[in-house]
Amino acid sequence: MGDVNVTDLRGKLAVVTGASDGLGLGLAVRLARAGAEVVLPVRNPAKGAAAVERIRAAAPGAVASTRELDLASLSSVGALADTLNREGRPIHLLINNAGVMTPATRHTTADGLELQFGTNHIGHLALTGRILPLLRAGHARVTTMSSSAARSGRINWDDLQSTRKYSPIRSYGQSKLANLLFGLELDRRSRAGGWGIVSNVAHPGTTFTNLYASGPNLGRSRPSPYESIIRRLSRWGVLVQTVDRGLLPALYAATSLQALGGRFYGPDGLGQFTGGPTELAVYRSARDEAEAARLWDVSERLAGVEFATV
């Protein structure tokens, strides 16, 4: 499959986290071009304003705006949810895209959670749960961004917050596996509870964004080699793809009528590094529904959200 032909989204409201640059911005542009109104929850207002201008330049007439959000703070997530709920507009598309990757040393969120698990998974679960009434009102499609790192990830129930031993890659893999488990479990619970939400998961393969610089350089006195390696591979066209290509699995999952709930989408190329969007087999690491349910219950407690009561 090549590009994604996005259906007419006029009259639809889309919320895309992490849309101040990279994959999130690319996704917001594509949604705006199809007529959707896009909301960009961002941590950096200046970057958010610049992203809105880029969207309007790429999609003349687009309606785009920012809201404040720091996914590493549950109070910030709650404040955004309160704002959106107060505005009261049904949300038709939610793309849980923002994330942090492999800080060299262990960092924590404002709530004391390991930064990757707390931001990538708990922050998005909390946001989704707190705006559930708006998602239900919009019969929304929720697409959560995972990673091929979920394939080798595991949930370390004995040290969920990596307090005893921290590994950048293992903690990242756990957070991305949690994203995958959450997206699949959300669809199961929506079907069982009649919530009217379609939830699926996507991953972008290896896509060159500033994720390879911002996260790996946290806690380092010298720049991480990740960015230069990925930049070189991207320049050579080897195992790395551009944002315009990397966004396609999530765009397909979020907008295509052929993309179903409870499914996993990613690149169709060798090793899932690059390629066009396709449905993937769910990784073995994410097939245990009992583990998904356990993670859901633990995560609700950590996030202070109960989906069944919102």
Side-chain angles (χ1 to χ4, degrees):
M1 185 188 299
D3 197 7
V4 174
N5 293 318
V6 182
T7 188
D8 186 350
L9 297 177
R10 284 175 292 184
K12 304 295 186 183
L13 179 63
V15 176
V16 184
T17 68
S20 58
D21 59 19
L23 289 163
L25 177 55
L27 286 162
V29 167
R30 292 296 302 269
L31 297 176
R33 282 178 176 164
E37 177 181 345
V38 291
V39 171
L40 285 56
V42 296
R43 187 176 56 178
N44 184 320
K47 286 183 67 176
V52 166
E53 291 307 310
R54 289 180 63 181
I55 292 168
R56 290 172 178 165
V63 179
S65 59
T66 62
R67 303 290 188 280
E68 291 185 19
L69 173 65
D70 180 358
L71 283 162
S73 164
L74 290 175
S75 66
S76 177
V77 173
L80 171 64
D82 288 345
T83 296
L84 294 174
N85 284 320
R86 204 162 42 242
E87 292 170 0
R89 298 181 59 198
I91 295 172
H92 305 95
L93 294 171
L94 170 64
I95 302 183
N96 290 322
N97 162 75
V100 61
M101 185 179 76
T102 62
T105 58
R106 184 179 181 273
H107 289 67
T108 57
T109 68
D111 306 283
L113 306 176
E114 189 276 317
L115 184 64
Q116 297 179 91
F117 185 79
T119 302
N120 300 349
H121 170 55
I122 295 297
H124 279 124
L125 178 142
L127 175 61
T128 305
R130 290 190 182 280
I131 62 172
L132 188 63
L134 302 179
L135 298 172
R136 294 186 64 175
H139 302 286
R141 182 169 296 214
V142 178
T143 296
T144 299
M145 194 75 84
S146 183
S147 163
S148 59
R151 181 163 35 193
S152 56
R154 70 180 184 91
I155 305 299
N156 186 351
W157 294 109
D158 295 327
D159 190 19
L160 197 59
Q161 305 304 330
S162 305
T163 53
R164 297 178 197 165
K165 185 176 181 181
Y166 174 75
S167 161
I169 293 174
R170 281 200 295 271
S171 293
Y172 181 67
Q174 174 179 256
S175 75
K176 292 286 101 178
L177 174 57
N179 285 147
L180 179 53
L181 289 167
F182 165 66
L184 299 177
E185 182 69 8
L186 176 59
D187 194 73
R188 283 191 287 266
R189 297 201 177 214
S190 175
R191 285 186 279 110
W195 297 348
I197 294 168
V198 172
S199 172
N200 55 29
V201 185
H203 88 76
T206 306
T207 301
F208 183 39
T209 70
N210 72 0
L211 202 65
Y212 287 92
S214 58
N217 284 325
L218 281 173
R220 291 181 63 93
S221 57
R222 297 181 178 179
S224 164
Y226 283 174
E227 183 182 13
S228 62
I229 292 169
I230 294 297
R231 186 184 298 277
R232 191 173 302 120
L233 291 173
S234 178
R235 193 164 54 242
W236 294 341
V238 177
L239 303 180
V240 179
Q241 58 190 357
T242 63
V243 166
D244 286 345
R245 295 291 295 169
L247 63 80
L248 294 180
L251 184 66
Y252 179 79
T255 66
S256 174
L257 297 179
Q258 282 71 51
L260 305 176
R263 306 295 176 88
F264 184 34
Y265 298 91
D268 63 4
L270 178 67
Q272 300 178 12
F273 292 106
T274 63
T278 192
E279 183 179 336
L280 304 174
V282 173
Y283 299 145
R284 187 186 301 271
S285 58
R287 294 177 189 170
D288 187 337
E289 294 186 12
E291 180 165 77
R294 179 184 181 186
L295 179 65
W296 181 282
D297 292 341
V298 169
S299 300
E300 278 191 326
R301 290 197 295 274
L302 292 173
V305 174
E306 291 185 41
F307 279 67
T309 63
V310 294

mmCIF file of all heavy atoms in Angstrom, residues 198-238:
data_model
loop_
_atom_site.group_PDB
_atom_site.id
_atom_site.type_symbol
_atom_site.label_atom_id
_atom_site.label_comp_id
_atom_site.label_asym_id
_atom_site.label_seq_id
_atom_site.Cartn_x
_atom_site.Cartn_y
_atom_site.Cartn_z
ATOM 1 N N VAL A 198 -14.105 2.991 18.733
ATOM 2 C CA VAL A 198 -13.240 2.048 18.025
ATOM 3 C C VAL A 198 -11.806 2.386 18.408
ATOM 4 O O VAL A 198 -11.357 3.518 18.221
ATOM 5 C CB VAL A 198 -13.428 2.149 16.497
ATOM 6 C CG1 VAL A 198 -12.379 1.312 15.767
ATOM 7 C CG2 VAL A 198 -14.825 1.708 16.102
ATOM 8 N N SER A 199 -11.084 1.417 18.953
ATOM 9 C CA SER A 199 -9.702 1.655 19.384
ATOM 10 C C SER A 199 -8.764 0.693 18.670
ATOM 11 O O SER A 199 -9.018 -0.515 18.618
ATOM 12 C CB SER A 199 -9.581 1.468 20.901
ATOM 13 O OG SER A 199 -8.225 1.502 21.317
ATOM 14 N N ASN A 200 -7.686 1.240 18.129
ATOM 15 C CA ASN A 200 -6.656 0.404 17.532
ATOM 16 C C ASN A 200 -5.292 0.997 17.828
ATOM 17 O O ASN A 200 -5.165 2.010 18.515
ATOM 18 C CB ASN A 200 -6.893 0.199 16.033
ATOM 19 C CG ASN A 200 -7.012 1.496 15.261
ATOM 20 O OD1 ASN A 200 -6.435 2.515 15.634
ATOM 21 N ND2 ASN A 200 -7.778 1.476 14.174
ATOM 22 N N VAL A 201 -4.253 0.341 17.319
ATOM 23 C CA VAL A 201 -2.874 0.713 17.652
ATOM 24 C C VAL A 201 -2.059 0.737 16.372
ATOM 25 O O VAL A 201 -2.307 -0.054 15.445
ATOM 26 C CB VAL A 201 -2.261 -0.285 18.658
ATOM 27 C CG1 VAL A 201 -0.874 0.175 19.108
ATOM 28 C CG2 VAL A 201 -3.174 -0.466 19.875
ATOM 29 N N ALA A 202 -1.070 1.626 16.324
ATOM 30 C CA ALA A 202 -0.181 1.698 15.166
ATOM 31 C C ALA A 202 1.250 1.887 15.641
ATOM 32 O O ALA A 202 1.497 2.301 16.785
ATOM 33 C CB ALA A 202 -0.583 2.857 14.254
ATOM 34 N N HIS A 203 2.193 1.567 14.771
ATOM 35 C CA HIS A 203 3.575 1.957 15.041
ATOM 36 C C HIS A 203 4.214 2.448 13.749
ATOM 37 O O HIS A 203 3.857 2.007 12.653
ATOM 38 C CB HIS A 203 4.365 0.829 15.720
ATOM 39 C CG HIS A 203 5.043 -0.151 14.828
ATOM 40 N ND1 HIS A 203 6.220 0.152 14.148
ATOM 41 C CD2 HIS A 203 4.762 -1.439 14.506
ATOM 42 C CE1 HIS A 203 6.616 -0.913 13.466
ATOM 43 N NE2 HIS A 203 5.747 -1.880 13.663
ATOM 44 N N PRO A 204 5.157 3.389 13.850
ATOM 45 C CA PRO A 204 5.675 4.083 12.667
ATOM 46 C C PRO A 204 6.927 3.487 12.058
ATOM 47 O O PRO A 204 7.521 4.104 11.164
ATOM 48 C CB PRO A 204 5.979 5.476 13.221
ATOM 49 C CG PRO A 204 6.460 5.196 14.614
ATOM 50 C CD PRO A 204 5.627 4.026 15.094
ATOM 51 N N GLY A 205 7.347 2.301 12.546
ATOM 52 C CA GLY A 205 8.631 1.814 12.083
ATOM 53 C C GLY A 205 9.737 2.699 12.626
ATOM 54 O O GLY A 205 9.608 3.326 13.678
ATOM 55 N N THR A 206 10.844 2.758 11.908
ATOM 56 C CA THR A 206 11.942 3.644 12.310
ATOM 57 C C THR A 206 11.824 4.920 11.506
ATOM 58 O O THR A 206 12.119 4.944 10.307
ATOM 59 C CB THR A 206 13.309 2.981 12.072
ATOM 60 O OG1 THR A 206 13.344 1.715 12.731
ATOM 61 C CG2 THR A 206 14.426 3.862 12.609
ATOM 62 N N THR A 207 11.363 5.967 12.145
ATOM 63 C CA THR A 207 11.108 7.246 11.490
ATOM 64 C C THR A 207 11.969 8.313 12.144
ATOM 65 O O THR A 207 12.002 8.421 13.378
ATOM 66 C CB THR A 207 9.619 7.625 11.603
ATOM 67 O OG1 THR A 207 8.832 6.605 10.991
ATOM 68 C CG2 THR A 207 9.346 8.950 10.918
ATOM 69 N N PHE A 208 12.658 9.093 11.337
ATOM 70 C CA PHE A 208 13.586 10.085 11.852
ATOM 71 C C PHE A 208 12.843 11.314 12.368
ATOM 72 O O PHE A 208 12.330 12.117 11.593
ATOM 73 C CB PHE A 208 14.586 10.486 10.766
ATOM 74 C CG PHE A 208 15.630 11.464 11.232
ATOM 75 C CD1 PHE A 208 16.186 11.340 12.493
ATOM 76 C CD2 PHE A 208 16.046 12.502 10.425
ATOM 77 C CE1 PHE A 208 17.142 12.235 12.944
ATOM 78 C CE2 PHE A 208 16.998 13.411 10.853
ATOM 79 C CZ PHE A 208 17.555 13.276 12.124
ATOM 80 N N THR A 209 12.756 11.429 13.686
ATOM 81 C CA THR A 209 12.175 12.609 14.334
ATOM 82 C C THR A 209 13.107 13.018 15.466
ATOM 83 O O THR A 209 14.095 12.330 15.771
ATOM 84 C CB THR A 209 10.780 12.301 14.915
ATOM 85 O OG1 THR A 209 10.933 11.417 16.048
ATOM 86 C CG2 THR A 209 9.876 11.653 13.879
ATOM 87 N N ASN A 210 12.757 14.116 16.146
ATOM 88 C CA ASN A 210 13.624 14.567 17.238
ATOM 89 C C ASN A 210 13.509 13.689 18.477
ATOM 90 O O ASN A 210 14.180 13.919 19.484
ATOM 91 C CB ASN A 210 13.363 16.038 17.580
ATOM 92 C CG ASN A 210 12.042 16.260 18.299
ATOM 93 O OD1 ASN A 210 11.283 15.322 18.559
ATOM 94 N ND2 ASN A 210 11.755 17.504 18.623
ATOM 95 N N LEU A 211 12.655 12.657 18.422
ATOM 96 C CA LEU A 211 12.580 11.686 19.514
ATOM 97 C C LEU A 211 13.949 11.070 19.767
ATOM 98 O O LEU A 211 14.285 10.705 20.896
ATOM 99 C CB LEU A 211 11.569 10.592 19.153
ATOM 100 C CG LEU A 211 10.942 9.790 20.299
ATOM 101 C CD1 LEU A 211 10.091 10.690 21.172
ATOM 102 C CD2 LEU A 211 10.098 8.651 19.743
ATOM 103 N N TYR A 212 14.752 10.951 18.705
ATOM 104 C CA TYR A 212 16.067 10.327 18.821
ATOM 105 C C TYR A 212 17.099 11.247 19.456
ATOM 106 O O TYR A 212 18.219 10.813 19.736
ATOM 107 C CB TYR A 212 16.552 9.849 17.451
ATOM 108 C CG TYR A 212 15.804 8.634 16.979
ATOM 109 C CD1 TYR A 212 14.663 8.756 16.194
ATOM 110 C CD2 TYR A 212 16.209 7.355 17.344
ATOM 111 C CE1 TYR A 212 13.951 7.642 15.777
ATOM 112 C CE2 TYR A 212 15.504 6.234 16.933
ATOM 113 C CZ TYR A 212 14.381 6.393 16.152
ATOM 114 O OH TYR A 212 13.671 5.284 15.744
ATOM 115 N N ALA A 213 16.739 12.508 19.653
ATOM 116 C CA ALA A 213 17.642 13.440 20.318
ATOM 117 C C ALA A 213 17.130 13.845 21.689
ATOM 118 O O ALA A 213 17.872 13.836 22.672
ATOM 119 C CB ALA A 213 17.848 14.685 19.460
ATOM 120 N N SER A 214 15.832 14.170 21.771
ATOM 121 C CA SER A 214 15.303 14.747 23.012
ATOM 122 C C SER A 214 15.361 13.765 24.182
ATOM 123 O O SER A 214 15.827 14.115 25.273
ATOM 124 C CB SER A 214 13.868 15.221 22.792
ATOM 125 O OG SER A 214 13.040 14.158 22.358
ATOM 126 N N GLY A 215 14.920 12.527 23.980
ATOM 127 C CA GLY A 215 14.922 11.557 25.066
ATOM 128 C C GLY A 215 16.309 11.040 25.401
ATOM 129 O O GLY A 215 16.750 11.119 26.553
ATOM 130 N N PRO A 216 17.031 10.486 24.422
ATOM 131 C CA PRO A 216 18.350 9.913 24.722
ATOM 132 C C PRO A 216 19.344 10.905 25.314
ATOM 133 O O PRO A 216 20.317 10.492 25.946
ATOM 134 C CB PRO A 216 18.818 9.425 23.344
ATOM 135 C CG PRO A 216 17.561 9.108 22.612
ATOM 136 C CD PRO A 216 16.598 10.180 23.056
ATOM 137 N N ASN A 217 19.139 12.203 25.128
ATOM 138 C CA ASN A 217 20.074 13.183 25.681
ATOM 139 C C ASN A 217 19.738 13.605 27.105
ATOM 140 O O ASN A 217 20.525 14.304 27.740
ATOM 141 C CB ASN A 217 20.143 14.421 24.779
ATOM 142 C CG ASN A 217 20.962 14.162 23.527
ATOM 143 O OD1 ASN A 217 21.937 13.426 23.559
ATOM 144 N ND2 ASN A 217 20.553 14.743 22.411
ATOM 145 N N LEU A 218 18.577 13.173 27.609
ATOM 146 C CA LEU A 218 18.248 13.453 29.007
ATOM 147 C C LEU A 218 19.215 12.686 29.910
ATOM 148 O O LEU A 218 19.382 11.477 29.763
ATOM 149 C CB LEU A 218 16.811 13.022 29.323
ATOM 150 C CG LEU A 218 15.686 13.946 28.883
ATOM 151 C CD1 LEU A 218 14.345 13.278 29.122
ATOM 152 C CD2 LEU A 218 15.755 15.270 29.630
ATOM 153 N N GLY A 219 19.843 13.404 30.837
ATOM 154 C CA GLY A 219 20.734 12.739 31.780
ATOM 155 C C GLY A 219 22.110 12.435 31.233
ATOM 156 O O GLY A 219 22.874 11.690 31.862
ATOM 157 N N ARG A 220 22.465 13.001 30.079
ATOM 158 C CA ARG A 220 23.787 12.760 29.489
ATOM 159 C C ARG A 220 24.599 14.050 29.491
ATOM 160 O O ARG A 220 24.065 15.131 29.247
ATOM 161 C CB ARG A 220 23.668 12.260 28.040
ATOM 162 C CG ARG A 220 23.091 10.873 27.894
ATOM 163 C CD ARG A 220 23.053 10.485 26.420
ATOM 164 N NE ARG A 220 24.392 10.418 25.860
ATOM 165 C CZ ARG A 220 25.114 9.308 25.798
ATOM 166 N NH1 ARG A 220 24.625 8.176 26.252
ATOM 167 N NH2 ARG A 220 26.319 9.325 25.270
ATOM 168 N N SER A 221 25.905 13.907 29.742
ATOM 169 C CA SER A 221 26.791 15.067 29.659
ATOM 170 C C SER A 221 27.278 15.278 28.234
ATOM 171 O O SER A 221 27.662 16.382 27.856
ATOM 172 C CB SER A 221 27.997 14.887 30.584
ATOM 173 O OG SER A 221 28.702 13.691 30.272
ATOM 174 N N ARG A 222 27.256 14.216 27.429
ATOM 175 C CA ARG A 222 27.616 14.314 26.018
ATOM 176 C C ARG A 222 26.422 13.907 25.165
ATOM 177 O O ARG A 222 25.616 13.085 25.583
ATOM 178 C CB ARG A 222 28.799 13.394 25.694
ATOM 179 C CG ARG A 222 30.088 13.749 26.419
ATOM 180 C CD ARG A 222 31.198 12.796 26.013
ATOM 181 N NE ARG A 222 32.456 13.141 26.670
ATOM 182 C CZ ARG A 222 33.584 12.445 26.489
ATOM 183 N NH1 ARG A 222 33.583 11.378 25.699
ATOM 184 N NH2 ARG A 222 34.692 12.820 27.113
ATOM 185 N N PRO A 223 26.323 14.447 23.954
ATOM 186 C CA PRO A 223 25.191 14.093 23.094
ATOM 187 C C PRO A 223 25.132 12.592 22.815
ATOM 188 O O PRO A 223 26.160 11.936 22.624
ATOM 189 C CB PRO A 223 25.451 14.881 21.807
ATOM 190 C CG PRO A 223 26.330 16.004 22.227
ATOM 191 C CD PRO A 223 27.183 15.464 23.334
ATOM 192 N N SER A 224 23.920 12.052 22.809
ATOM 193 C CA SER A 224 23.724 10.645 22.474
ATOM 194 C C SER A 224 24.104 10.387 21.019
ATOM 195 O O SER A 224 23.880 11.249 20.152
ATOM 196 C CB SER A 224 22.257 10.266 22.683
ATOM 197 O OG SER A 224 21.946 9.054 22.040
ATOM 198 N N PRO A 225 24.663 9.216 20.720
ATOM 199 C CA PRO A 225 24.985 8.896 19.323
ATOM 200 C C PRO A 225 23.760 8.530 18.492
ATOM 201 O O PRO A 225 23.847 8.450 17.273
ATOM 202 C CB PRO A 225 25.918 7.688 19.460
ATOM 203 C CG PRO A 225 25.498 7.020 20.732
ATOM 204 C CD PRO A 225 25.087 8.149 21.648
ATOM 205 N N TYR A 226 22.604 8.321 19.152
ATOM 206 C CA TYR A 226 21.426 7.858 18.424
ATOM 207 C C TYR A 226 21.074 8.767 17.258
ATOM 208 O O TYR A 226 20.838 8.314 16.143
ATOM 209 C CB TYR A 226 20.206 7.762 19.352
ATOM 210 C CG TYR A 226 20.167 6.559 20.261
ATOM 211 C CD1 TYR A 226 19.172 6.434 21.231
ATOM 212 C CD2 TYR A 226 21.106 5.544 20.160
ATOM 213 C CE1 TYR A 226 19.123 5.331 22.068
ATOM 214 C CE2 TYR A 226 21.066 4.443 20.993
ATOM 215 C CZ TYR A 226 20.075 4.345 21.949
ATOM 216 O OH TYR A 226 20.020 3.258 22.763
ATOM 217 N N GLU A 227 21.027 10.065 17.525
ATOM 218 C CA GLU A 227 20.570 10.993 16.496
ATOM 219 C C GLU A 227 21.470 10.958 15.271
ATOM 220 O O GLU A 227 20.991 10.908 14.136
ATOM 221 C CB GLU A 227 20.494 12.415 17.035
ATOM 222 C CG GLU A 227 19.945 13.395 16.004
ATOM 223 C CD GLU A 227 19.908 14.817 16.509
ATOM 224 O OE1 GLU A 227 20.516 15.114 17.557
ATOM 225 O OE2 GLU A 227 19.243 15.648 15.845
ATOM 226 N N SER A 228 22.776 10.970 15.482
ATOM 227 C CA SER A 228 23.687 10.975 14.337
ATOM 228 C C SER A 228 23.605 9.672 13.549
ATOM 229 O O SER A 228 23.685 9.671 12.318
ATOM 230 C CB SER A 228 25.126 11.227 14.788
ATOM 231 O OG SER A 228 25.574 10.206 15.657
ATOM 232 N N ILE A 229 23.401 8.567 14.247
ATOM 233 C CA ILE A 229 23.271 7.276 13.567
ATOM 234 C C ILE A 229 22.010 7.248 12.711
ATOM 235 O O ILE A 229 22.038 6.880 11.536
ATOM 236 C CB ILE A 229 23.260 6.119 14.593
ATOM 237 C CG1 ILE A 229 24.632 5.988 15.272
ATOM 238 C CG2 ILE A 229 22.865 4.805 13.913
ATOM 239 C CD1 ILE A 229 24.627 5.053 16.467
ATOM 240 N N ILE A 230 20.898 7.650 13.309
ATOM 241 C CA ILE A 230 19.629 7.647 12.584
ATOM 242 C C ILE A 230 19.668 8.644 11.431
ATOM 243 O O ILE A 230 19.165 8.387 10.331
ATOM 244 C CB ILE A 230 18.455 7.955 13.534
ATOM 245 C CG1 ILE A 230 18.290 6.824 14.552
ATOM 246 C CG2 ILE A 230 17.160 8.138 12.759
ATOM 247 C CD1 ILE A 230 17.928 5.476 13.967
ATOM 248 N N ARG A 231 20.288 9.796 11.667
ATOM 249 C CA ARG A 231 20.396 10.793 10.604
ATOM 250 C C ARG A 231 21.184 10.234 9.414
ATOM 251 O O ARG A 231 20.816 10.417 8.258
ATOM 252 C CB ARG A 231 21.070 12.054 11.132
ATOM 253 C CG ARG A 231 21.093 13.207 10.122
ATOM 254 C CD ARG A 231 21.864 14.390 10.688
ATOM 255 N NE ARG A 231 21.260 14.919 11.894
ATOM 256 C CZ ARG A 231 20.255 15.778 11.905
ATOM 257 N NH1 ARG A 231 19.727 16.191 10.751
ATOM 258 N NH2 ARG A 231 19.770 16.229 13.042
ATOM 259 N N ARG A 232 22.264 9.517 9.715
ATOM 260 C CA ARG A 232 23.088 8.951 8.652
ATOM 261 C C ARG A 232 22.315 7.879 7.880
ATOM 262 O O ARG A 232 22.331 7.853 6.646
ATOM 263 C CB ARG A 232 24.370 8.367 9.252
ATOM 264 C CG ARG A 232 25.426 7.976 8.214
ATOM 265 C CD ARG A 232 26.724 7.572 8.886
ATOM 266 N NE ARG A 232 27.260 8.626 9.707
ATOM 267 C CZ ARG A 232 27.478 8.526 11.024
ATOM 268 N NH1 ARG A 232 27.173 7.402 11.653
ATOM 269 N NH2 ARG A 232 27.979 9.530 11.697
ATOM 270 N N LEU A 233 21.623 6.993 8.611
ATOM 271 C CA LEU A 233 20.830 5.957 7.947
ATOM 272 C C LEU A 233 19.720 6.563 7.100
ATOM 273 O O LEU A 233 19.426 6.081 6.001
ATOM 274 C CB LEU A 233 20.245 4.999 8.991
ATOM 275 C CG LEU A 233 21.236 4.086 9.723
ATOM 276 C CD1 LEU A 233 20.542 3.329 10.843
ATOM 277 C CD2 LEU A 233 21.895 3.107 8.758
ATOM 278 N N SER A 234 19.104 7.628 7.624
ATOM 279 C CA SER A 234 18.053 8.302 6.866
ATOM 280 C C SER A 234 18.608 8.887 5.574
ATOM 281 O O SER A 234 17.983 8.804 4.513
ATOM 282 C CB SER A 234 17.426 9.403 7.728
ATOM 283 O OG SER A 234 16.442 10.105 7.013
ATOM 284 N N ARG A 235 19.789 9.485 5.663
ATOM 285 C CA ARG A 235 20.406 10.074 4.478
ATOM 286 C C ARG A 235 20.722 9.000 3.432
ATOM 287 O O ARG A 235 20.609 9.224 2.235
ATOM 288 C CB ARG A 235 21.671 10.820 4.892
ATOM 289 C CG ARG A 235 22.244 11.733 3.825
ATOM 290 C CD ARG A 235 23.229 12.719 4.400
ATOM 291 N NE ARG A 235 24.298 12.089 5.158
ATOM 292 C CZ ARG A 235 24.523 12.279 6.450
ATOM 293 N NH1 ARG A 235 23.742 13.076 7.155
ATOM 294 N NH2 ARG A 235 25.526 11.677 7.066
ATOM 295 N N TRP A 236 21.097 7.834 3.923
ATOM 296 C CA TRP A 236 21.403 6.720 3.007
ATOM 297 C C TRP A 236 20.148 5.998 2.534
ATOM 298 O O TRP A 236 20.213 5.171 1.623
ATOM 299 C CB TRP A 236 22.317 5.715 3.708
ATOM 300 C CG TRP A 236 23.683 6.231 4.024
ATOM 301 C CD1 TRP A 236 24.319 7.304 3.468
ATOM 302 C CD2 TRP A 236 24.580 5.697 5.007
ATOM 303 N NE1 TRP A 236 25.564 7.480 4.035
ATOM 304 C CE2 TRP A 236 25.753 6.499 4.984
ATOM 305 C CE3 TRP A 236 24.523 4.634 5.893
ATOM 306 C CZ2 TRP A 236 26.842 6.257 5.810
ATOM 307 C CZ3 TRP A 236 25.608 4.383 6.730
ATOM 308 C CH2 TRP A 236 26.744 5.190 6.677
ATOM 309 N N GLY A 237 19.004 6.251 3.198
ATOM 310 C CA GLY A 237 17.773 5.558 2.842
ATOM 311 C C GLY A 237 17.768 4.108 3.282
ATOM 312 O O GLY A 237 17.161 3.245 2.635
ATOM 313 N N VAL A 238 18.426 3.828 4.403
ATOM 314 C CA VAL A 238 18.565 2.454 4.902
ATOM 315 C C VAL A 238 17.847 2.312 6.244
ATOM 316 O O VAL A 238 18.224 2.962 7.230
ATOM 317 C CB VAL A 238 20.049 2.071 5.073
ATOM 318 C CG1 VAL A 238 20.172 0.672 5.647
ATOM 319 C CG2 VAL A 238 20.785 2.178 3.746
#
